[in-house]
C-alpha cells in the first residue's frame, strides 16, 4: 500500500474517484432514497463544474502539500513522530487526524464564522442532495480546506503516501455520504457508528438550522459523537434540503453560486450570526 500511494499517478487517482462517482450515480438511479423534480443531468453539470475549480485550487497548492509532507518525514517532525510508532498505527492515527483537522474541524469553523459561512453555504443551497453534491464547493472554500490539510500535515507529521491515501478515501466517502441511495435502516445505523453514513449526513443538509449545525464529519463519525455535534432523526425522508432564503432556481446555476458570497447578505444562518 505504501509503495502504491507513494507513487500513484494523478490520472489513476482521478480514475478511482470518477469510477466511484459513476457507480454511486448509477446506484442512485436504481435505488433512490428520494425522487427529485430537478433534472439529474443539469444538476450534475452544475456540481461537476465545481470539481474543476477544486482541482485547480488543489493543483495550485499541490507543491506546498508535497513539500510539507516530505519535510515532516525527513525531519521526523510532528506529534506522530514524538514516539516510535509501528507503521500501521502511524497510518491509522494519521488518517484520523487528517480527517479531524482537514475535514471536521475546518467544516465546523465554517459554520461558526460568518464570513467563512458565506463561501460554504453554496454547498448547502443544493436542494437535491446526491453524490455530485460532494463536489459543490466554492473555490475560496477549497482554499480553506487546503490550508487545513497543510496544518494537519505539519502538526501531525504525515508521509506523502498517507496523505494520498487519505485524500482518495476522503473524496470517495464524501460522495458516498451525500449519495441519494436507500440503505436498509439497520445497515445505515450500524455504519454510522464507525463512518459517516448517507442518512447521518443528510441531516446536515436539512433547512432546519439545529440540524444543519450538526454531523460535520466526513469519514469517521467519531468526531461528531465525541464533540456533541451528532444528531439523529427518526425519519430522514422528511428532511427538506437547502436554505430557506435561497430557494430561487437561479441559485442552482454556476454564475449566481460563484457570486453568492459577495451578495448583500440575506437572512444570516449560522449560529454565530443569529
Amino acid at each position: 500500500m505504501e509503495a502504491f500511494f507513494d507513487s500513484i499517478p494523478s490520472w489513476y487517482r482521478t480514475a478511482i474517484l470518477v469510477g466511484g462517482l459513476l457507480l454511486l450515480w448509477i446506484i442512485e438511479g436504481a435505488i433512490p432514497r428520494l425522487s427529485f423534480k430537478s433534472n439529474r443531468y443539469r444538476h450534475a453539470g452544475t456540481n461537476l463544474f465545481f470539481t474543476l475549480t477544486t482541482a485547480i485550487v488543489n493543483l495550485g497548492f499541490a507543491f506546498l502539500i508535497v513539500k510539507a509532507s516530505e519535510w515532516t518525514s525527513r525531519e521526523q517532525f510532528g506529534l506522530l513522530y514524538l514516539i516510535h510508532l509501528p507503521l500501521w498505527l502511524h497510518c491509522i492515527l494519521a488518517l484520523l487526524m487528517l480527517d479531524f483537522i482537514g475535514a471536521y474541524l475546518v467544516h465546523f469553523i465554517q459554520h461558526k464564522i460568518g464570513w467563512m459561512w458565506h463561501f460554504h453555504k453554496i454547498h448547502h443551497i443544493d436542494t437535491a442532495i446526491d453524490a455530485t453534491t460532494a463536489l459543490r464547493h466554492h473555490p475560496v472554500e477549497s482554499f480553506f480546506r487546503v490550508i487545513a490539510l497543510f496544518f494537519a500535515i505539519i502538526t501531525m507529521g504525515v508521509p506523502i503516501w498517507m496523505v494520498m491515501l487519505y485524500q482518495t478515501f476522503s473524496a470517495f466517502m464524501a460522495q458516498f455520504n451525500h449519495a441519494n441511495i436507500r440503505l436498509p435502516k439497520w445497515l445505515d445505523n450500524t455504519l454510522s457508528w464507525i463512518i459517516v453514513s448517507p442518512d447521518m449526513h443528510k441531516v446536515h443538509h436539512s433547512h432546519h438550522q439545529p440540524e444543519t449545525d450538526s454531523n460535520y464529519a466526513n469519514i469517521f463519525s467519531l468526531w461528531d459523537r465525541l464533540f456533541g455535534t451528532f444528531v439523529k432523526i427518526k425519519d430522514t425522508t422528511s428532511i427538506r434540503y437547502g436554505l430557506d432564503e435561497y430557494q430561487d432556481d437561479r441559485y442552482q446555476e454556476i454564475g449566481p453560486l460563484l457570486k453568492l458570497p459577495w451578495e448583500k447578505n440575506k437572512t444570516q444562518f449560522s449560529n454565530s450570526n443569529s
Side-chain angles (χ1 to χ4, degrees):
M1 183 182 291
E2 178 179 355
F4 176 78
F5 281 99
D6 194 43
S7 58
I8 183 172
S10 58
W11 70 266
Y12 202 103
R13 183 167 170 266
T14 301
I16 294 173
L17 300 179
V18 171
L21 180 62
L22 286 174
L23 176 62
L24 289 168
W25 209 61
I26 291 170
I27 295 174
E28 286 176 334
I31 51 169
R33 179 179 171 278
L34 294 174
S35 295
F36 297 118
K37 296 178 181 179
S38 58
N39 184 299
R40 286 186 78 202
Y41 297 95
R42 182 181 177 187
H43 174 257
T46 297
N47 290 345
L48 285 170
F49 169 82
F50 289 100
T51 305
L52 176 61
T53 60
T54 298
I56 292 171
V57 172
N58 289 345
L59 182 62
F61 287 90
F63 180 80
L64 178 66
I65 295 299
V66 170
K67 288 301 179 183
S69 185
E70 289 177 345
W71 180 78
T72 62
S73 296
R74 184 174 61 252
E75 302 296 328
Q76 301 283 286
F77 182 88
L79 295 178
L80 295 179
Y81 285 113
L82 289 180
I83 59 174
H84 179 72
L85 297 171
L87 185 61
W88 64 269
L89 183 55
H90 191 140
C91 182
I92 291 174
L93 293 176
L95 291 177
L96 282 167
M97 296 315 298
L98 289 173
D99 185 50
F100 172 62
I101 299 172
Y104 176 88
L105 188 58
V106 68
H107 191 180
F108 177 85
I109 290 171
Q110 287 181 93
H111 276 250
K112 303 304 176 185
I113 297 180
W115 68 269
M116 296 180 77
W117 165 254
H118 292 309
F119 293 100
H120 177 59
K121 67 186 176 184
I122 75 164
H123 181 68
H124 282 271
I125 288 172
D126 200 341
T127 56
I129 307 301
D130 67 7
T132 68
T133 305
L135 312 171
R136 185 193 286 218
H137 294 286
H138 195 279
V140 176
E141 180 182 358
S142 299
F143 171 75
F144 297 155
R145 290 177 178 268
V146 168
I147 295 303
L149 180 64
F150 172 80
F151 180 76
I153 293 169
I154 290 293
T155 55
M156 293 297 118
V158 185
I160 190 61
W161 74 269
M162 294 183 192
V163 176
M164 293 296 102
L165 172 61
Y166 163 73
Q167 287 190 307
T168 302
F169 189 31
S170 177
F172 176 77
M173 279 301 301
Q175 295 169 4
F176 170 69
N177 58 47
H178 284 89
N180 181 38
I181 56 177
R182 184 179 67 252
L183 296 180
K185 194 65 178 175
W186 67 267
L187 178 58
D188 198 285
N189 287 340
T190 301
L191 288 175
S192 72
W193 281 98
I194 304 170
I195 61 174
V196 179
S197 66
D199 270 10
M200 174 182 168
H201 192 70
K202 296 305 184 297
V203 175
H204 181 72
H205 282 271
S206 168
H207 77 111
H208 183 46
Q209 184 179 339
E211 293 169 358
T212 307
D213 290 332
S214 71
N215 299 4
Y216 297 102
N218 181 42
I219 298 178
F220 302 107
S221 59
L222 157 74
W223 307 121
D224 283 302
R225 295 180 183 275
L226 184 62
F227 293 104
T229 53
F230 177 77
V231 169
K232 180 179 179 179
I233 64 175
K234 187 174 181 180
D235 180 18
T236 55
T237 61
S238 65
I239 293 173
R240 180 159 65 85
Y241 300 136
L243 302 179
D244 289 339
E245 63 270 35
Y246 296 104
Q247 292 295 312
D248 193 283
D249 286 345
R250 74 186 185 92
Y251 291 117
Q252 304 307 320
E253 299 173 1
I254 294 169
L257 287 172
L258 284 171
K259 294 185 292 184
L260 183 64
W262 292 278
E263 278 191 0
K264 183 173 291 187
N265 295 347
K266 294 190 176 187
T267 304
Q268 301 289 349
F269 192 79
S270 68
N271 280 342
S272 61
N273 301 326
S274 57

